[in-house]
Amino acid sequence: MDFLLLACLAIFLSLVMAAAFAVQRMTGASGWIDTIWSAGVGVAGVFAAILADGPLWRGIAVLALVIAWSFRLASHIGTRTSSGSEDPRYARLLEEWGENGQARLFGFLQVQAVAAFVLVLSIYLAADTTEFPRLIDIIALLTGVVAVVGEAVADAQLSAFRKTPQAKTGVCEIGLWRYSRHPNYFFEWLFWCSFPLFALSSQPVSWLSLGAPVMMYWLLVHVSGIPPLEDHMLRSRGTRFRDLQTRVNAFFPGPRKTGGRP
C-alpha cells in the first residue's frame, strides 16, 4: 500500500472541500458543494486507480467505472444547480445552525472530505489487487455498470416528473420510483459495493474496501440522505408523502404495499 499517495489524496480532498465552501459562499448555491464533491472524488479516484500496483486491465476497469460515475453525477447535480434549484438538505442545516452556520458548514465539508477519502481508499484497493480477471471481477464490473445506469435512469425520471404540473403538490411515483422512495440513493450505494468485490483477496488490508458501501449506506439511510429529505417532503407534501411511505419501500426496491391513498 502506497501511504504517501494516500496521504496526498487525503490532502487533495480536504482542499477540494475547502474550495467547495468558498464557491458556496460566493454563489449562495449549496448544490455546487455536491457537484464539486463528486468531481473531487472522481479526480482522486482516477489517480488512485492509475497509480495503484495492480494489473493494467484491472486499473482500466476500475478507472472506467470511476470516470463514468463522477462525470454523470457531477454533471447532473451541476445542471440542476445552475437551473436555480436549491438542495433542501443544506438549506435546512444552515437554518438550524443559525449565526454559526458558515463556520459549521466548513467543518461539515471537511467531514465530507474524510468520507470521500474512505471511498477513494476503496477505489485504490480495488485497483491494487494483483489477480485479474476473476469471476468476481466480472460481477464487480457488471454491478458498477448497473448502478451507474440505474441511478441515471432514476434521476432522469425524477427530472421528468419535476417538469409536470403534478410536481408542485404531488410526489414522484413513476418508473423506478414506484418501487423505492429513493432509487437514486439505492443505486448510489450499489455502485460502491462494486469496489470491495474487485478488492477482496487473501490480503487482510483488502477488507478495508468494505468501508465504502458500509459508510454510504449509513450516510444515505440514517444521516444526510433519507432523513433530512423525507423531513422536507413531509413538511411540503404532508399526507401525500405519508401515504407514499405506506406503499413504497424507503431504500431497497421491492413490491408495492397496500395502504394509503394512491
Side-chain angles (χ1 to χ4, degrees), residues 89 108 215 217-229:
R89 298 171 303 163
F108 181 71
M215 182 193 68
Y217 180 84
W218 177 67
L219 290 175
L220 292 173
V221 177
H222 299 293
V223 184
S224 60
I226 292 177
L229 186 54

Side-chain angles (χ1 to χ4, degrees), residues 94 97-103:
L94 290 171
W97 290 338
E99 295 181 356
N100 296 325
Q102 293 301 327

Side-chain angles (χ1 to χ4, degrees), residues 168-170 229-239 241:
K168 293 182 179 179
T169 57
L229 186 54
E230 296 218 334
D231 180 65
H232 168 75
M233 292 299 294
L234 285 169
R235 285 185 285 112
S236 62
R237 299 297 187 269
T239 302
F241 192 75

